[in-house]
Amino acid sequence: MKRHIKIMAGAVSIVIILGIIFLYRNTLEDTWAERLTEKNDLIDYLEFYPAGEEDIFPDKGAFIIYNKTDQEMRTGEFYALQKKILGKWCNIETNQPMDFVAIGYGVPPGEYRVIANWEKDYGKLPHGTYRIIKECSLILDTKYHKSLDFTFACEFKI
């Protein structure tokens, strides 16, 4: 009987330890990386890339959302920036609370130019490899409020 109690206590201890490790790991994980839409889910709907090397500066950058569908998508002003440090994406801290207008912009089929002015929120960016993360929705049915939501990123260098 004592043997069964020891086995049960060991099993409960292992479950508790694994739960703590799982929770701790999730708090350390890059939350944006967890939210990014899988690339194979995106390829049919959109592409996101810098408008050109000459359009990326330490204070702002221009990017293209290429809507591959024949329907309008929606996006907003919000974005996040990360820097690649020792092969890992790290969130960049803002200088102040970020202010974005909570408005949706239509992304028509084809190319849509987005300008991110990060100097006011992040300051001028030093040389390095970065990625900008944005969100977009493809409205499938306005009557029933159905949409596909995408979180996507684009790497760029300064």
Side-chain angles (χ1 to χ4, degrees):
M1 187 67 165
K2 286 185 178 182
R3 183 173 179 225
H4 293 302
I5 293 173
K6 286 182 181 179
I7 291 172
M8 292 294 287
V12 169
S13 297
I14 289 172
V15 169
I16 291 171
I17 290 170
L18 289 175
I20 291 170
I21 290 171
F22 178 76
L23 288 173
Y24 182 71
R25 184 187 68 79
N26 279 346
T27 59
L28 293 179
E29 282 288 317
D30 170 14
T31 56
W32 284 108
E34 292 172 0
R35 292 180 60 189
L36 288 177
T37 305
E38 292 289 328
K39 247 186 187 169
N40 55 355
D41 292 337
L42 278 177
I43 59 173
D44 293 334
Y45 299 103
L46 64 88
E47 289 181 33
F48 187 47
Y49 50 88
E53 287 183 22
E54 64 279 352
D55 293 322
I56 304 293
F57 303 99
D59 60 337
K60 65 182 175 184
F63 299 89
I64 301 293
I65 298 174
Y66 183 74
N67 179 354
K68 294 180 174 182
T69 72
D70 58 354
Q71 296 174 283
E72 184 175 276
M73 292 184 177
R74 303 297 269 165
T75 191
E77 285 188 10
F78 177 77
Y79 64 89
L81 285 180
Q82 293 182 324
K83 184 174 184 178
K84 192 178 251 186
I85 301 173
L86 299 174
K88 182 176 177 1
W89 290 109
C90 301
N91 292 329
I92 299 175
E93 297 298 322
T94 59
N95 297 335
Q96 59 195 9
M98 295 175 72
D99 293 330
F100 292 104
V101 176
I103 189 169
Y105 296 105
V107 179
E111 289 188 358
Y112 180 76
R113 189 177 177 96
V114 176
I115 296 180
N117 184 356
W118 46 71
E119 182 177 27
K120 68 181 175 80
D121 297 314
Y122 295 98
K124 287 190 176 186
L125 302 178
H127 289 285
T129 301
Y130 296 88
R131 74 177 174 183
I132 182 171
I133 301 169
K134 285 205 54 78
E135 296 176 339
C136 199
S137 293
L138 173 63
I139 309 302
L140 299 175
D141 186 343
T142 55
K143 182 177 179 181
Y144 296 104
H145 305 288
K146 291 184 180 182
S147 64
L148 284 175
D149 298 322
F150 304 107
T151 303
F152 49 94
C154 170
E155 282 188 40
F156 62 95
K157 291 185 181 192
I158 294 183

